[in-house]
Amino acid sequence: MWYYEKKLQYPVRVSTCNPRLAKFLIEQYGGADGELAAALRYLNQRYTIPDKVVGLLNDIGTEEFAHLEMIATMVYKLTKDASPEQLRDAGLGDHYADHDRALFYHNAAGVPFTATYIQAKGDPIADLYEDIAAEEKARATYQWIIDMSDDPDLNDALKFLREREIVHSQRFREAVEILKEDRGKKKYF
Amino acid sequence: MFTQYKYWQPYVSPFDPCPPIRVKSYNTPPQLYLGFQPRGLPQFSTAKEALFHGTLWPALFSPYPDPQIRGEEDE
């Protein structure tokens, strides 16, 4: 089970009213390499992974939900006070027609989230290599969003999230090393 | 000298429609090199500093965008 702490992992500030950025940020919300996909992937894989690395998947999967609510906060702040005209001009007309200002799990192009974004192969190395790749792809996505954003306060939080992808990638790489060690191996002499 | 960014020069055609970007770069952050994190790796001196960097260890910090292009050390 989880305990909920009613605060964000890192403060989210937004300095300019720019609903167009919300359209890009939603990629990290309901996109293939987004935080939702990451959280669901890791928390699901933990049941069948060797017990030495279950705790790691549990911790990182939980942190991904903390990132998800940071992204949600950013999107909400960027859109909550925008007029329908502003949303339409920012390319969010399709979104407004279906969802008003509500958040929805889809990517920047409006493609809805699907479980086919994630895999649980049951092979520990295959699963961990997918996890490493997912972290690097999420890092790259943050880079491309930072490139398009000129909001310094927003970028500060995005740089934090990008750094967390790096730390997670490091930990998954260490998990592979743990599983590669031959401590549990049957030795014949 | 080690940097977290690598540079390469893509082929540029005389018939390219847009002004060419002659040097392209990509990011090679620290986790690609660290291996298993060594015990006792130096940490940031304050919790606030660590929070702002997103990691406890300077060795795992990766600046973005490329500080060389921006002309800064890091943040």
Side-chain angles (χ1 to χ4, degrees):
Chain A
M1 70 170 282
W2 278 268
Y3 287 99
Y4 185 74
E5 222 174 315
K6 203 173 172 60
K7 60 185 184 193
L8 294 175
Q9 189 191 9
Y10 187 89
V12 167
R13 289 248 174 80
V14 178
S15 46
T16 50
C17 171
N18 185 356
R20 188 170 290 274
L21 274 178
K23 184 174 163 62
F24 302 144
L25 279 168
I26 211 80
E27 183 69 31
Q28 290 291 37
Y29 196 65
D33 306 315
E35 302 291 355
L36 179 70
L40 297 180
R41 179 189 295 114
Y42 306 151
L43 293 178
N44 180 248
Q45 286 176 356
R46 53 189 173 146
Y47 295 97
T48 46
I49 206 104
D51 47 13
K52 279 180 203 158
V53 298
V54 170
L56 180 71
L57 285 172
N58 190 64
D59 290 354
I60 296 183
T62 301
E63 186 179 339
E64 302 296 358
F65 276 127
H67 297 171
L68 189 71
E69 66 176 359
M70 283 178 63
I71 298 289
T73 305
M74 293 174 189
V75 171
Y76 175 68
K77 286 190 177 202
L78 285 164
T79 54
K80 73 185 175 81
D81 299 314
S83 68
E85 292 73 27
Q86 283 176 308
L87 291 171
R88 187 193 55 206
D89 294 345
L92 285 165
D94 300 353
H95 182 97
Y96 186 79
D98 196 12
H99 306 289
D100 187 358
R101 291 177 190 82
L103 282 78
F104 192 68
Y105 293 114
H106 56 201
N107 72 5
V111 179
F113 183 83
T114 158
T116 54
Y117 286 159
I118 63 177
Q119 176 59 294
K121 189 50 79 174
D123 178 275
I125 300 302
D127 282 348
L128 284 171
Y129 272 51
E130 169 172 326
D131 301 345
I132 293 167
E135 296 293 336
E136 304 297 355
K137 288 190 282 180
R139 168 181 60 78
T141 308
Y142 279 119
Q143 290 168 190
W144 313 153
I145 295 173
I146 290 168
D147 289 350
M148 289 188 290
S149 157
D150 52 5
D151 187 323
D153 285 328
L154 193 76
N155 280 355
D156 183 54
L158 291 176
K159 285 172 189 175
F160 171 87
L161 290 168
R162 173 180 170 276
E163 177 64 34
R164 297 312 298 160
E165 308 295 341
I166 287 167
V167 175
H168 291 171
S169 171
Q170 168 68 21
R171 298 295 170 245
F172 284 133
R173 287 161 195 268
E174 288 169 353
V176 171
E177 295 307 313
I178 288 171
L179 297 187
K180 275 160 67 182
E181 276 180 16
D182 60 356
R183 272 184 299 187
K185 201 173 87 176
K186 283 183 190 165
K187 286 184 177 141
Y188 299 100
F189 295 101
Chain B
M1 191 194 80
F2 174 73
T3 68
Q4 292 193 24
Y5 290 88
K6 308 289 182 281
Y7 307 92
W8 62 291
Q9 294 170 296
Y11 170 71
V12 171
S13 155
F15 307 113
D16 286 344
C18 303
I21 300 171
R22 297 196 178 272
V23 178
K24 299 217 176 194
S25 71
Y26 56 95
N27 181 215
T28 50
Q31 79 275 19
L32 304 182
Y33 306 94
L34 189 61
F36 213 104
Q37 181 174 328
R39 199 175 273 274
L41 203 62
Q43 298 189 3
F44 285 109
S45 40
T46 63
K48 206 166 189 176
E49 220 185 327
L51 178 68
F52 287 156
H53 284 88
T55 175
L56 288 175
W57 301 274
L60 266 173
F61 176 67
S62 167
Y64 190 85
D66 183 352
Q68 272 215 302
I69 285 180
R70 270 190 320 178
E72 294 167 27
E73 272 299 297
D74 69 75
E75 33 232 22

